[in-house]
């Protein structure tokens, strides 16, 4: 029997495993890097061990440090979570050799599926359909997909649409794979443009239903659901049988997932990979089958028999991954302090979060903040419930994909089940214009805040004047750099703003009336006086506004043509030299953040007049990376 379990992972997955351990009476041990020391999962564990450093390679990927932490904490079992060492056969063997219980499949099974190239060979021999890669790609084989053999999560994956790009994309995929998994081996296979990503949950060789994970960006899943919608019974049965064959081919034990690419046009499917671990999206399976997959993992590790075959799924579950990223900027990861993180907890909603209000999101790890799951009698009800909860969530401090997720869940195409791996690229969100009342609410809250800070004449209305010469003006900058100037007056009877009736105004809440409709805005102000940042939440969405200072500090200006770092990261390649002529769109350098590489390109043709960074250098968001002086016509 397991008595004390160490989770060799971090954030949301560690919290998830700890929750089941508490239910079963198993003591828990967390390991944490320096960057993660203040995250909630560390406090949730019974014991915690520091892994000095912040980068994965010096902390969570160090087998020796993790095993030493287990020894010092007196753990008798190790759960790998997902990511990091979870599919590392050498780590699994080291855990067993140390006399600890390994909560996962046999090392030989991990090894068999660890290389996607070898895994395809095994599946082919087992009679599972696989995609056959062209030996010598031609234009007729396009598009192609370059994939890392050793990993997943979208890292080391590149779509190739012209053969001229093949070598460059292979090189980029190798670099990402080497950084993320320590193995730069890649392979090429046909890319099914509008396929669906359907996967089967297994415990041993027992099938626990299927999931659809087709809504993806950068080949990383964003929305997952169970059961997979729109599959005919015959197709669903065939997919389950193929997954069962895959598990039996490697004598699989414990929880695992077999992933397939499904073509709705032909109803054909092909093996993609087998994940020999728990999946991020496992909660949707738990919801519809009423099981605890972590508990089944622990039971299997303790030598329990085969899992009971589950009954048919009950209702429908949808999960979204809430990321710290900016969809409007090609999904660039974001970092900073998550000043507010509050998701409404209502019946049928589950939140698996790795962060809380006040947590810092760093650039060292994956950008996922939390998973939010809805379970309801029907798919439509689950989507509506989940969209409603997300729209009411208060998430401040970093840009997230929350609004995109709401757009997806409310889109007619998604509700009709018309999803594919190209869904996000095709999505045309309605993208309602930001509510103009948000800027008004922000301006009035700032005025009230200034009034509350006065030490004299506190009884005089804010900004009241005996003789009014002109309105007060508050400039507010939006995320896209545009500025709204709110003009308002402070009178004996309250505030006057063109187009809005001011029903009530306070430092944290403002109620406005427009066209006979009242809207209440919750306002949170932070930052120093004169440079405040204001978060405004209402039923019409969230707005983050920065007060424009009345006077600009010349020291904060940058030269025209400056290329600024879009996020904190590491410069992994400098592609130009100072004095070099570059064309518009030509790569200048490559940044790595959250294990993904991002190319910074020249916005116009010109000359590189400044290049203050070098390969390996850490840069902060907004730091000048280079200056490209535009050519004069």
């Amino acid at each position: 029997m397991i008595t004390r379990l160490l989770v060799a992972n971090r954030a949301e997955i560690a919290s998830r495993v700890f929750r089941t351990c508490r239910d079963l009476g198993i003591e828990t041990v967390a390991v944490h890097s320096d960057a993660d020391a203040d995250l909630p999962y560390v406090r949730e564990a019974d014991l915690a061990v520091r892994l000095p450093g912040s980068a994965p390679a010096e902390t969570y990927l160090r087998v020796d440090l993790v095993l030493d932490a287990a020894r010092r904490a007196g753990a008798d079992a190790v759960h790998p979570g997902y990511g990091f060492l979870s599919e590392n056969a050498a780590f699994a063997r080291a855990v067993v050799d140390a006399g600890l219980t390994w909560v996962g499949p046999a090392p030989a099974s991990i090894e068999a599926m660890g290389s996607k190239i070898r895994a395809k060979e095994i599946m082919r021999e087992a009679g599972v359909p696989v995609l056959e890669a062209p030996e010598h790609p031609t234009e007729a084989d396009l598009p192609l997909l370059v994939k890392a053999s050793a990993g997943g999560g979208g890292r080391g994956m590149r779509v190739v649409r012209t053969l001229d790009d093949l070598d460059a994309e292979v090189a980029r995929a190798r670099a990402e794979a080497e950084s993320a998994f320590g193995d730069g081996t890649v392979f090429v296979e046909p890319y099914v443009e509008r396929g669906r990503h359907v996967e089967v949950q297994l415990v041993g060789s027992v099938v626990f239903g299927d999931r659809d994970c087709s809504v993806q960006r950068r080949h990383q899943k964003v929305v997952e659901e169970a059961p997979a919608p729109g599959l005919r019974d015959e197709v669903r049965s065939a997919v389950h049988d193929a997954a069962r064959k895959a598990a039996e081919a490697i004598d699989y034990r414990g929880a695992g997932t077999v992933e397939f690419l499904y073509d709705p046009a032909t109803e054909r499917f092909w093996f993609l990979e087998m994940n020999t671990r728990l999946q991020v999206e496992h909660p949707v399976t738990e919801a519809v089958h009423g099981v605890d997959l972590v508990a089944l993992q622990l039971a299997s590790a303790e030598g329990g028999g085969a899992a009971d075959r589950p009954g048919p799924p009950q209702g429908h579950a949808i999960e979204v991954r809430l990321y710290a990223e900016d969809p409007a900027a090609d999904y660039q990861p974001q970092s900073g302090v998550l000043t507010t993180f509050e998701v409404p907890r209502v019946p049928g909603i589950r939140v698996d979060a790795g962060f809380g209000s006040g947590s810092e999101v760093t650039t060292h790890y994956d950008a996922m903040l939390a998973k939010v799951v809805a379970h309801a009698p029907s798919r439509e009800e689950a989507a509506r419930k989940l969209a409603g909860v997300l729209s009411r969530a208060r998430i401040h401090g970093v840009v997230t994909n929350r609004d995109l997720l709401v757009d997806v869940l409310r889109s007619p195409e998604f509700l009709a089940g018309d999803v594919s791996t190209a869904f996000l690229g095709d999505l045309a969100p309605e993208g309602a214009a930001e509510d103009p009342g948000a800027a008004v609410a922000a301006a009035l809250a700032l005025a009230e805040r200034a009034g509350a800070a006065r030490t004299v004449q506190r009884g005089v209305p804010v900004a009241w004047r005996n003789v009014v010469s002109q309105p007060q003006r508050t400039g507010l900058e939006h995320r896209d750099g545009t500025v709204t100037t709110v003009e308002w007056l402070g009178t004996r009877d309250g505030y006057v703003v063109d187009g809005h009736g001011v029903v009530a105004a306070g430092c944290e809440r403002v109620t406005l009336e427009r066209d006979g409709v009242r809207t209440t805005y919750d306002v949170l102000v932070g930052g120093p006086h004169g440079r405040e940042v204001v978060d405004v939440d209402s039923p019409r969405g969230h707005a983050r506004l920065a007060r424009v200072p009345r006077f600009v500090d010349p020291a904060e200006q940058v030269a025209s043509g400056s290329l600024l770092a879009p996020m904190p990261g590491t410069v992994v390649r400098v592609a130009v030299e100072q004095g070099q002529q570059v064309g518009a769109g030509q790569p200048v350098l490559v940044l790595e953040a959250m294990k993904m590489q991002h190319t910074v390109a020249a916005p116009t043709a010109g000359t590189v007049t400044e290049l203050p960074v070098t390969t390996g250098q850490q840069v902060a968001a907004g730091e000048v990376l280079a200056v490209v002086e535009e050519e004069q016509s």
Side-chain angles (χ1 to χ4, degrees):
M1 296 286 286
I2 296 171
T3 59
R4 182 175 293 171
L5 177 78
L6 180 144
V7 177
N9 220 291
R10 62 181 292 276
E12 165 266 324
I13 180 54
S15 293
R16 165 67 191 93
V17 176
F18 292 163
R19 185 166 65 246
T20 292
C21 287
R22 286 194 296 270
D23 292 342
L24 298 176
I26 297 173
E27 294 180 344
T28 56
V29 181
V31 289
H32 67 86
S33 68
D34 292 336
D36 286 343
D38 295 324
L39 289 190
Y41 83 97
V42 179
R43 298 189 296 272
E44 292 168 4
D46 294 305
L47 301 170
V49 180
R50 172 183 175 240
L51 305 179
S54 292
E58 60 188 13
T59 54
Y60 300 107
L61 292 175
R62 285 279 300 274
V63 173
D64 56 335
L65 294 184
V66 172
L67 291 179
D68 182 61
R71 178 189 60 78
R72 285 190 284 153
D76 57 2
V78 173
H79 190 299
Y82 40 74
F84 294 134
L85 296 168
S86 63
E87 294 179 283
N88 186 310
F91 177 54
R93 287 195 180 94
V95 170
V96 174
D97 291 345
L100 305 173
T101 298
W102 167 251
V103 183
S109 296
I110 299 174
E111 201 162 52
M113 294 293 102
S115 163
K116 292 184 177 65
I117 298 173
R118 174 61 181 145
K120 279 192 170 189
E121 296 173 355
I122 295 172
M123 293 303 105
R124 191 181 295 111
E125 294 169 1
V128 178
V130 299
L131 278 171
E132 299 294 348
E135 187 172 348
H136 301 290
T138 67
E139 293 289 343
D141 297 315
L142 297 172
L144 297 169
L145 183 65
V146 183
K147 296 178 69 174
S149 178
R155 297 173 179 88
M157 294 179 69
R158 298 279 173 166
V159 177
V160 179
R161 300 190 182 280
T162 66
L163 289 181
D164 290 343
D165 294 337
L166 181 59
D167 290 345
E169 295 296 4
V170 166
R172 292 190 183 101
R174 280 179 176 151
E176 278 191 355
E178 181 68 39
S179 174
F181 316 117
D183 183 347
T185 305
V186 299
F187 63 98
V188 177
E189 67 182 16
Y191 180 59
V192 179
E193 195 78 57
R194 297 188 179 278
R196 281 176 54 185
H197 188 123
V198 175
E199 60 188 34
V200 177
Q201 176 68 57
L202 297 164
V203 178
S205 59
V206 177
V207 171
F208 277 75
D210 47 73
R211 302 184 284 254
D212 187 291
C213 309
S214 300
V215 181
Q216 304 177 4
R217 90 304 183 242
R218 288 183 169 171
H219 313 294
Q220 288 182 303
K221 302 165 189 173
V222 177
V223 180
E224 301 110 340
E225 54 184 311
L231 293 184
R232 289 192 304 113
D233 290 343
E234 294 85 353
V235 175
R236 197 181 304 274
S237 178
V239 172
H240 290 187
D241 287 343
R244 195 176 294 110
K245 285 181 183 178
E248 291 170 349
I250 57 172
D251 192 25
Y252 195 76
R253 297 289 181 269
T257 298
V258 183
E259 302 189 351
F260 297 95
L261 181 63
Y262 169 63
D263 183 358
T266 63
E267 294 194 318
R268 296 178 63 194
F269 61 89
W270 302 271
F271 171 84
L272 283 177
E273 62 182 338
M274 183 173 186
N275 296 123
T276 52
R277 53 171 169 78
L278 198 64
Q279 289 279 85
V280 177
E281 58 272 21
H282 75 275
V284 293
T285 296
E286 293 184 324
V288 298
H289 286 290
V291 298
D292 183 331
L293 290 172
V294 174
L296 292 179
Q297 280 188 300
L298 294 170
S300 176
E302 290 178 327
D308 294 333
R309 192 175 303 279
Q314 301 299 308
H316 200 90
I318 303 176
E319 170 184 292
V320 294
R321 302 191 191 189
L322 191 62
Y323 283 104
E325 65 183 16
D326 188 355
D330 194 27
Y331 301 99
Q332 286 179 353
Q334 306 291 300
S335 61
V337 176
L338 192 62
T339 53
T340 307
F341 186 71
E342 298 172 0
V343 180
R345 306 300 174 101
V346 300
I349 292 292
R350 167 176 166 179
V351 180
D352 285 10
F355 296 80
S357 296
S359 296
E360 183 174 0
V361 182
T362 73
T363 60
H364 299 292
Y365 316 110
D366 186 83
M368 191 174 75
L369 302 176
K371 305 175 309 194
V372 187
V373 187
H375 182 219
S378 71
R379 184 172 183 269
E380 294 75 12
E381 291 172 279
R384 181 176 64 188
K385 179 182 291 187
L386 187 51
V389 163
L390 287 172
S391 66
R392 296 194 303 275
R394 300 184 70 194
I395 307 168
H396 304 158
V398 297
V399 177
T400 73
N401 65 335
R402 185 262 305 271
D403 292 343
L404 174 69
L405 296 174
V406 174
D407 281 338
V408 169
L409 294 168
R410 289 175 173 168
S411 71
E413 295 82 6
F414 179 83
L415 293 174
D418 184 15
V419 295
S420 74
T421 52
F423 181 86
L424 282 183
D426 296 339
L427 180 67
E430 294 183 15
E434 188 174 286
D435 177 11
V440 175
L444 299 186
L446 287 170
E448 284 291 301
R449 191 169 184 248
R454 292 184 303 190
T455 57
V456 297
Q457 297 183 330
R458 298 177 65 93
V460 177
V462 175
W464 179 79
R465 295 290 184 271
N466 225 356
V467 179
V468 178
S469 62
Q470 59 184 324
Q472 301 287 325
R473 294 181 179 86
T474 303
L476 296 160
E477 184 177 2
H478 301 258
R479 254 178 47 202
D480 62 4
T482 60
V483 174
T484 295
T485 299
V486 179
E487 296 189 348
W488 53 276
L489 295 170
T491 72
R492 294 181 186 274
D493 300 319
Y495 294 100
V496 175
V497 183
D498 283 347
H500 292 83
V502 182
V503 179
C507 297
E508 298 180 348
R509 177 164 288 193
V510 175
T511 300
L512 304 176
E513 184 174 291
R514 186 182 179 91
D515 298 328
V517 178
R518 289 188 178 185
T519 304
T520 296
Y521 300 84
D522 291 314
V523 185
L524 185 65
V525 180
H529 178 66
R531 296 179 177 274
E532 295 94 338
V533 174
V534 188
D535 286 286
V536 184
D537 292 284
S538 77
R540 300 183 182 184
H542 168 260
R544 184 172 177 82
L545 304 161
R547 185 171 196 164
V548 178
R550 297 184 66 183
F551 304 102
V552 178
D553 185 349
E556 295 180 356
Q557 303 303 295
V558 296
S560 175
S562 295
L563 304 185
L564 307 181
M567 71 205 82
T570 303
V571 178
V572 295
R573 186 168 71 93
V574 177
V576 298
E577 297 178 351
Q578 189 168 339
Q580 180 177 332
Q581 295 286 321
V582 294
Q586 181 176 337
V588 173
L589 51 84
V590 178
L591 279 182
E592 183 174 274
M594 296 180 178
K595 312 312 293 180
M596 298 290 284
Q597 294 192 354
H598 310 268
T599 300
V600 178
T604 61
T607 303
V608 180
T609 57
E610 294 183 34
L611 193 62
V613 297
T614 58
T615 300
Q617 182 175 334
Q618 294 278 336
V619 295
E623 187 171 334
V624 176
L625 305 175
V627 177
V628 177
E629 189 173 303
E630 187 176 0
E631 292 179 348
Q632 299 298 316
S633 58

